[in-house]
C-alpha cells in the first residue's frame, strides 16, 4: 500500500468521526490570476485556444487583448455569482445553488474562468494535513447552516466548498487552512450572524482564476500535486498568478 492510500484511509476514518455525513470530493485546484490570463502553449505560439463555438469567438478575441495588452474590465463578462445549479458547471449536481462563472478559455491542462464578487462564511483550522483541518472547520460551518446562528436560520449547503491552502509551509509544522461555505443568494447581502466566534465572513472580489479539475478525496498530497502541475503549465505559458497560496474546491458527487 503506497503512502497516498495510507493517508487516504486515515482521512476517511477521521471524516466519518467528525463530519455529519461523508463527502466524496470532485475537486478543482484554483490559482488566482494577478496580472494577465493565458491559454497559450508558449510565448512563440501566442494564443492556442481550445476549440470553441462561433458565438464565443468575440470573447476569444478579447482574451487575446487581455494577454497582449492589458486587463479587460472585470465587470464586462461577469455573470450572476450564485445561482441555480446548471450546465455552467457539470460538478454542481448535489446542491440547488452553485457558484457561477464565465469560461474565458480552455486548454488540455487548465481553464481560465471569471468570477464576480461573492460572500462566504469561513473558519480557520490548524492542522498537519488538509483533510484533518478541513474536517475540523467543516463541522463548525455545518452547524452554522443547521441553525447555530443568532437568527436560528437553517439553509441548504451550496457548492462548492472552498479551502485556502498556503504554499509556504515549514516542514513538520502545521498549516492554517481556511475552509469556506458559499452563502446562498438569499443571504449574500445579509447573512445570519454566527454564534461561534471561530466563524467569520469573507468577501471574495471579482477575479480571474486558472483551474485544474480532478477527482478523488480532498488530501494534502493530491492538492499540492495538482497545484504543482497547474503552476508548471502556467509558467510554461508565461502566465502571471499568485504564488502564495492556492484553493482546493470540493464538490460532492
Amino acid at each position: 500500500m503506497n503512502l497516498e492510500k495510507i493517508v487516504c484511509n486515515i482521512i476517511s476514518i477521521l471524516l466519518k468521526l467528525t463530519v455529519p455525513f461523508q463527502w466524496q470530493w470532485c475537486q478543482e485546484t484554483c490559482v488566482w490570476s494577478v496580472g494577465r490570463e493565458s491559454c497559450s502553449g508558449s510565448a512563440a505560439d501566442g494564443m492556442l485556444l481550445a476549440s470553441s463555438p462561433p458565438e464565443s469567438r468575440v470573447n476569444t478575441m478579447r482574451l487575446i487583448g487581455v494577454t497582449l495588452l492589458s486587463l479587460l474590465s472585470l465587470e464586462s463578462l461577469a455573470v450572476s455569482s450564485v445561482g441555480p445549479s446548471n450546465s455552467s458547471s457539470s460538478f454542481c449536481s448535489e446542491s440547488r445553488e452553485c457558484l457561477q462563472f464565465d469560461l474565458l478559455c480552455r486548454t488540455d491542462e487548465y481553464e481560465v474562468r471569471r468570477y464576480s464578487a461573492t460572500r462566504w462564511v469561513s473558519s480557520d483550522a490548524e492542522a498537519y494535513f488538509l483533510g484533518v483541518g478541513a474536517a475540523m472547520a467543516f463541522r463548525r460551518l455545518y452547524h452554522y447552516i443547521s441553525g447555530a446562528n443568532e437568527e436560528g436560520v437553517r439553509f441548504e449547503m451550496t457548492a462548492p466548498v472552498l479551502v485556502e491552502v498556503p504554499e509556504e509551509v515549514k516542514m513538520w509544522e502545521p498549516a492554517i487552512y481556511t475552509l469556506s461555505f458559499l452563502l446562498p443568494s438569499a443571504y449574500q447581502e445579509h447573512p445570519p450572524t454566527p454564534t461561534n466566534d471561530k466563524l467569520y465572513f469573507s468577501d471574495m472580489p471579482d477575479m480571474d482564476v486558472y483551474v485544474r479539475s480532478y477527482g478523488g478525496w480532498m488530501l494534502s498530497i493530491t492538492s499540492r500535486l495538482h497545484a504543482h502541475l497547474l503552476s508548471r503549465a502556467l509558467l510554461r505559458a508565461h502566465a502571471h498568478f499568485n504564488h502564495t497560496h492556492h484553493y482546493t474546491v470540493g464538490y460532492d458527487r
Side-chain angles (χ1 to χ4, degrees), residues 146-248:
S146 299
N149 52 74
E150 291 186 2
E151 292 80 356
V153 175
R154 300 170 61 94
F155 51 90
E156 295 183 10
M157 281 194 66
T158 57
V161 172
L162 184 74
V163 184
E164 182 178 341
V165 182
E167 289 292 343
E168 297 181 3
V169 179
K170 295 181 179 179
M171 186 173 293
W172 308 120
E173 288 189 6
I176 302 296
Y177 298 101
T178 301
L179 188 134
S180 302
F181 282 8
L182 177 66
L183 289 162
S185 56
Y187 298 109
Q188 277 287 306
E189 292 189 10
H190 303 289
T193 305
T195 54
N196 189 332
D197 60 7
K198 292 185 177 180
L199 302 185
Y200 58 93
F201 298 118
S202 301
D203 290 321
M204 301 291 280
D206 296 343
M207 62 181 65
D208 294 345
V209 301
Y210 297 103
V211 178
R212 177 184 174 90
S213 300
Y214 59 100
W217 287 94
M218 185 175 282
L219 300 172
S220 299
I221 294 176
T222 52
S223 174
R224 294 199 178 278
L225 169 63
H226 287 281
H228 174 68
L229 294 174
L230 176 56
S231 296
R232 283 179 54 187
L234 295 177
L235 290 172
R236 288 195 300 270
H238 301 285
H240 292 248
F241 58 93
N242 192 326
H243 294 265
T244 62
H245 62 275
H246 70 270
Y247 290 87
T248 292

Side-chain angles (χ1 to χ4, degrees), residues 33-253:
S33 166
V34 295
R36 63 180 185 183
E37 306 88 341
S38 178
C39 279
S40 59
S42 68
D45 291 334
M47 297 299 295
L48 297 181
L49 296 177
S51 298
S52 56
E55 61 268 22
S56 66
R57 288 177 183 167
V58 173
N59 290 348
T60 298
M61 295 303 295
R62 288 179 179 174
L63 185 62
I64 292 174
V66 172
T67 301
L68 300 180
L69 298 176
S70 61
L71 281 174
L72 188 67
S73 170
L74 289 176
E75 291 79 17
S76 62
L77 293 177
V79 296
S80 176
S81 56
V82 184
S85 297
N86 52 36
S87 59
S88 66
S89 174
S90 60
F91 296 150
C92 291
S93 60
E94 301 293 332
S95 60
R96 291 187 179 182
E97 288 195 311
C98 185
L99 181 63
Q100 304 292 297
F101 63 87
D102 188 49
L103 178 63
L104 299 182
C105 64
R106 178 188 291 118
T107 74
D108 292 336
E109 296 180 288
Y110 58 85
E111 293 180 350
V112 181
R113 300 179 184 176
R114 177 158 295 166
Y115 290 92
S116 55
T118 47
R119 177 167 291 179
W120 305 65
V121 57
S122 305
S123 184
D124 301 329
E126 185 177 40
Y128 287 97
F129 297 104
L130 186 155
V132 176
M136 294 166 58
F138 186 100
R139 190 171 186 86
R140 300 172 197 150
L141 294 167
Y142 187 76
H143 286 160
Y144 169 76
I145 69 171
S146 299
N149 52 74
E150 291 186 2
E151 292 80 356
V153 175
R154 300 170 61 94
F155 51 90
E156 295 183 10
M157 281 194 66
T158 57
V161 172
L162 184 74
V163 184
E164 182 178 341
V165 182
E167 289 292 343
E168 297 181 3
V169 179
K170 295 181 179 179
M171 186 173 293
W172 308 120
E173 288 189 6
I176 302 296
Y177 298 101
T178 301
L179 188 134
S180 302
F181 282 8
L182 177 66
L183 289 162
S185 56
Y187 298 109
Q188 277 287 306
E189 292 189 10
H190 303 289
T193 305
T195 54
N196 189 332
D197 60 7
K198 292 185 177 180
L199 302 185
Y200 58 93
F201 298 118
S202 301
D203 290 321
M204 301 291 280
D206 296 343
M207 62 181 65
D208 294 345
V209 301
Y210 297 103
V211 178
R212 177 184 174 90
S213 300
Y214 59 100
W217 287 94
M218 185 175 282
L219 300 172
S220 299
I221 294 176
T222 52
S223 174
R224 294 199 178 278
L225 169 63
H226 287 281
H228 174 68
L229 294 174
L230 176 56
S231 296
R232 283 179 54 187
L234 295 177
L235 290 172
R236 288 195 300 270
H238 301 285
H240 292 248
F241 58 93
N242 192 326
H243 294 265
T244 62
H245 62 275
H246 70 270
Y247 290 87
T248 292
V249 185
Y251 297 83
D252 189 35
R253 298 292 286 171

